[in-house]
Amino acid sequence: AQRVTQPEKLLSVFKGAPVELKCNYSYSGSPELFWYVQYSRQRLQLLLRHISRESIKGFTADLNKGETSFHLKKPFAQEEDSAMYYCALSGEASGTYKYIFGTGTRLKVLA
Amino acid sequence: ETGVTQTPRHLVMGMTNKKSLKCEQHLGHNAMYWYKQSAKKPLELMFVYNFKEQTENNSVPSRFSPECPNSSHLFLHLHTLQPEDSALYLCASSPSPGTEQFFGPGTRLTVL
């Protein structure tokens, strides 16, 4: 089955602590992986994508094909990182595109 | 307003009503999408349009009818909805299918 799993609904960390938001996927082809973020009272927006291999707002994510994971990491959490984070994948199969989102993880960074 | 806009932002309708949701993107993208976001459920892709052609319909009930007159506008026509259809409906666009998506603010739909 094709799916994206985010095992944690809520993750609370203290400011300055490392953060890791977990994402595992199941997909038969070669998907593209994304992390989207939704800050309070703002719309859903892209945070980063695996093919870019860049760091955005201090966050990085490495695609591990062996473990089918795409965990989001930040070495030192900031209060402004508090938001809802969604892992997503897109893939093409037989000429149609699949877009699958995880259920999301709410990150709370405590002062 | 730039980016992806959606109207109305809130909608309350009875089960026998007919209404439409509108989405507009000012980004020059070729692909547009409708998603449903319910409480306790992940974002569910409903429809995908690429260059005005529907390329994906994820087994959505026929009471939801999309329309894409051009690559900048997307509609979702609603008729004889059920209370369980109450949700946040999000529109998104992307340069092409499979690339990063830009989301609108959503329409909060309540079906009585």
Side-chain angles (χ1 to χ4, degrees):
Chain A
Q2 301 167 348
R3 62 178 177 269
V4 173
T5 302
Q6 293 180 253
E8 303 138 329
K9 285 187 176 180
L10 173 66
L11 183 64
S12 296
V13 301
F14 285 102
K15 178 182 173 182
V19 174
E20 183 179 51
L21 300 170
K22 292 187 177 1
C23 173
N24 288 90
Y25 66 92
S26 173
Y27 190 76
S28 55
S30 295
E32 183 166 354
L33 276 294
F34 305 85
W35 276 100
Y36 286 84
V37 61
Q38 189 167 27
Y39 301 102
S40 179
R41 287 186 285 278
Q42 293 187 31
R43 64 184 66 188
L44 196 59
Q45 58 185 289
L46 178 74
L47 180 62
L48 52 79
R49 54 196 297 196
H50 89 266
I51 63 171
S52 300
R53 300 185 66 81
E54 57 190 344
S55 174
I56 304 292
K57 299 184 178 182
F59 285 97
T60 58
D62 290 320
L63 179 62
N64 186 323
K65 292 185 179 180
E67 295 182 357
T68 59
S69 68
F70 189 56
H71 304 325
L72 184 68
K73 300 177 183 179
K74 184 169 183 177
F76 308 103
Q78 304 297 315
E79 289 182 74
E80 55 266 30
D81 295 328
S82 295
M84 194 75 179
Y85 291 81
Y86 294 93
C87 182
L89 72 78
S90 73
E92 183 181 6
S94 304
T96 63
Y97 283 89
K98 296 292 182 186
Y99 297 87
I100 306 170
F101 279 77
T103 50
T105 297
R106 181 167 298 283
L107 175 65
K108 286 189 176 180
V109 181
L110 309 171
Chain B
E1 185 177 343
T2 58
V4 180
T5 59
Q6 290 186 243
T7 54
R9 295 293 305 276
H10 300 272
L11 178 62
V12 180
M13 58 186 291
M15 289 191 287
T16 58
N17 292 158
K18 287 186 180 181
K19 296 286 183 183
S20 296
L21 309 185
K22 180 182 177 183
C23 176
E24 187 172 357
Q25 57 98 0
H26 309 270
L27 301 168
H29 291 167
N30 295 315
M32 296 187 77
Y33 316 80
W34 279 117
Y35 286 89
K36 176 182 179 183
Q37 187 174 33
S38 311
K40 301 178 184 179
K41 277 189 165 184
L43 273 169
E44 299 173 73
L45 179 67
M46 299 175 72
F47 301 104
V48 180
Y49 277 82
N50 185 28
F51 288 102
K52 305 185 298 177
E53 298 296 322
Q54 185 175 309
T55 61
E56 185 78 12
N57 175 346
N58 278 342
S59 303
V60 180
S62 58
R63 57 185 183 271
F64 294 91
S65 175
E67 179 190 1
C68 189
N70 54 64
S71 56
S72 297
H73 294 85
L74 185 64
F75 295 89
L76 187 63
H77 304 299
L78 316 171
H79 63 98
T80 59
L81 294 193
Q82 306 298 312
E84 59 264 29
D85 297 322
S86 298
L88 181 69
Y89 288 85
L90 293 171
C91 175
S93 70
S94 67
S96 61
T99 56
E100 68 172 275
Q101 297 183 26
F102 293 75
F103 284 84
T107 295
R108 175 69 62 186
L109 174 67
T110 302
V111 181
L112 302 176

